[in-house]
Amino acid sequence: MHEDDMRNVRLALTISPLNGETPASIGSRLAARNGVRPRDLCSDTGMRWPFLCSGHPDQLALLADVGGLELEHLVLWSAQQVRTGHYRVGHTRSSTGVFRRTSSRVCPKCIEEVLGEMGRYGAHQLLEWNVLCLSGCERHETALLDLPSAATTHETYDVVAQVDLHRDLVKQAADRQQEYEATEFETYVRGRIYRGPQADWLSGLELTHLHGACMTLGAAICGAPLQHFSSYGQNQERQFCVEGLRVLSPGPESLLRCMEELKARSRSRRPYYSTDLGAFYHWLRAARERPELQGLVACVHAFAVRSYTMKPNRRVLGRAVPGVQRMSFDTARKQTGLGVALLKRLIGHVEGFPRQRLQP
């Protein structure tokens, strides 16, 4: 077919996209509706299947023309890459930490429902199913199903073929009725995807950092030991996210109060911010260079400097300590050459000197 003719093709059999459905899913369904494979459909209409799956703008425009579809929908739900490892996911952003564009996850009840209504071309993929911190379908209140990996990435994108291949798994999962109830955190994440960031302290965080901050702070609140953190299951991690969001969403004052409570209940023989804040501090230390996390970094830095003894020239989260506000007796002894007992007696004679600034 001549290239000019290909650009004027309009399929006689089309589909109606679902809210949040990816362009690759739409292409897969269009192909099935017309009785061909996605690659063949693309070849016959001037598109390239791999580029369509990756959300190239020219391919989305061609798909809109071929299928009589709204280009705005295709662009919004295409998960276009904004830089290496970072994507626009609906109305929000995420990195590959909690988002997998090639993840083959479906709601088994959604699939069973549409297969019964319209046949095999009803099998579809919603973009939200590729967000790994969402573990279920809110509409059907059932857990998502991870389909086995396909041989190649672009076979994975052909959701109709993948559902055909794993039809028994989908039906078994739908029959199991594995119950799922969305948590406050998952509802919050879905709000981001479909409507954009909420007007709160976390609005600047992309989904991976939102999940990391909430989950690790929740783990610290729930007393999860750092050394066993990775062993907790999905249900426990979901609860961690709820606890973390409850504290972080209101703003820095809420986080400061939480950190004070974590310090007050510390059972460590020698309390310190890195142990009292547990997984949350270790996560933030690893991610501290990200510009969108600087509000969190500043809050934790201020708390640590104000609340714990510091050695001279100490750095907290990569930031210098502006002046030692609390000093241990051991540090004072080394700096003055005086014994601890003498230092304690001397402090007792210094009028107005706050005793808490020198701590054992």
Side-chain angles (χ1 to χ4, degrees):
M1 185 180 292
H2 191 274
E3 183 177 352
D4 290 337
D5 294 331
M6 290 190 298
R7 294 184 181 279
N8 293 318
V9 168
R10 176 64 63 85
L11 295 175
L13 300 176
T14 61
I15 63 169
S16 297
L18 302 169
N19 186 28
E21 185 178 3
T22 68
S25 172
I26 293 169
S28 175
R29 294 174 63 211
L30 271 174
R33 182 84 166 94
N34 286 271
V36 297
R37 299 182 308 166
R39 283 185 180 275
D40 295 334
L41 175 70
C42 289
S43 296
D44 291 343
T45 55
M47 293 183 289
R48 298 182 65 182
W49 176 242
F51 289 175
L52 175 61
C53 293
S54 297
H56 288 214
D58 61 329
Q59 301 297 301
L60 299 181
L62 282 171
L63 180 61
D65 289 341
V66 165
L69 306 168
E70 293 185 4
L71 181 59
E72 292 80 3
H73 174 102
L74 300 177
V75 171
L76 178 59
W77 301 109
S78 63
Q80 291 179 337
Q81 182 172 274
V82 294
R83 65 179 189 276
T84 303
H86 291 76
Y87 300 88
R88 181 177 46 74
V89 181
H91 289 281
T92 190
R93 296 171 294 112
S94 183
S95 66
T96 53
V98 299
F99 177 73
R100 296 286 189 276
R101 190 161 62 177
T102 58
S103 176
S104 192
R105 301 171 88 210
V106 297
C107 167
K109 288 193 175 180
C110 282
I111 299 301
E112 286 294 303
E113 183 176 89
V114 293
L115 290 181
E117 291 174 355
M118 62 184 72
R120 67 185 295 268
Y121 72 86
H124 61 276
Q125 174 85 29
L126 300 184
L127 187 60
E128 71 162 82
W129 294 345
N130 291 37
V131 177
L132 304 186
C133 57
L134 298 178
S135 55
C137 172
E138 190 173 39
R139 177 167 168 250
H140 287 105
E141 296 185 337
T142 192
L144 295 178
L145 170 67
D146 288 280
L147 296 177
S149 298
T152 67
T153 296
H154 296 107
E155 286 181 77
T156 299
Y157 283 117
D158 186 0
V159 63
V160 172
Q162 290 305 301
V163 169
D164 278 348
L165 187 61
H166 303 293
R167 185 72 184 81
D168 289 343
L169 285 178
V170 174
K171 189 175 188 311
Q172 289 168 13
D175 291 342
R176 277 199 306 270
Q177 297 184 342
Q178 188 173 348
E179 293 185 1
Y180 158 88
E181 183 177 351
T183 65
E184 292 91 334
F185 176 81
E186 290 166 322
T187 299
Y188 182 89
V189 169
R190 281 196 179 89
R192 287 246 178 136
I193 295 170
Y194 288 96
R195 296 183 295 278
Q198 294 86 331
D200 60 19
W201 194 44
L202 302 175
S203 61
L205 272 61
E206 50 98 349
L207 295 185
T208 295
H209 288 144
L210 173 68
H211 176 256
C214 292
M215 184 174 69
T216 56
L217 181 60
I221 293 169
C222 295
L226 181 62
Q227 61 270 32
H228 302 305
F229 181 70
S230 61
S231 65
Y232 287 93
Q234 184 183 71
N235 289 338
Q236 187 64 67
E237 289 183 5
R238 292 175 70 211
Q239 188 57 42
F240 290 162
C241 288
V242 171
E243 293 297 326
L245 180 65
R246 175 182 58 80
V247 169
L248 290 172
S249 181
E253 291 301 321
S254 176
L255 175 57
L256 285 169
R257 288 193 297 271
C258 176
M259 290 189 292
E260 292 286 0
E261 292 171 3
L262 290 174
K263 179 177 183 292
R265 77 181 197 196
S266 175
R267 296 181 179 179
S268 175
R269 179 171 165 271
R270 301 190 67 173
Y272 205 51
Y273 57 86
S274 59
T275 54
D276 292 350
L277 303 184
F280 178 62
Y281 174 79
H282 287 269
W283 167 81
L284 187 59
R285 183 178 63 182
R288 68 177 186 269
E289 299 297 334
R290 298 301 311 163
E292 59 267 37
L293 295 177
Q294 295 314 299
L296 280 173
V297 170
C299 186
V300 174
H301 179 274
F303 167 75
V305 170
R306 184 184 69 201
S307 306
Y308 295 87
T309 60
M310 296 282 170
K311 293 181 179 180
N313 303 318
R314 178 73 177 177
R315 298 181 72 83
V316 177
L317 294 174
R319 297 186 177 193
V321 175
V324 176
Q325 298 185 26
R326 290 174 178 257
M327 184 183 296
S328 68
F329 279 113
D330 184 58
T331 299
R333 178 184 60 78
K334 291 177 182 178
Q335 289 198 354
T336 64
L338 301 176
V340 172
L342 178 56
L343 282 170
K344 290 182 177 180
R345 289 199 300 272
L346 289 173
I347 290 170
H349 293 287
V350 178
E351 184 177 354
F353 188 88
R355 292 175 179 269
Q356 66 271 24
R357 289 182 182 270
L358 281 174
Q359 297 182 349

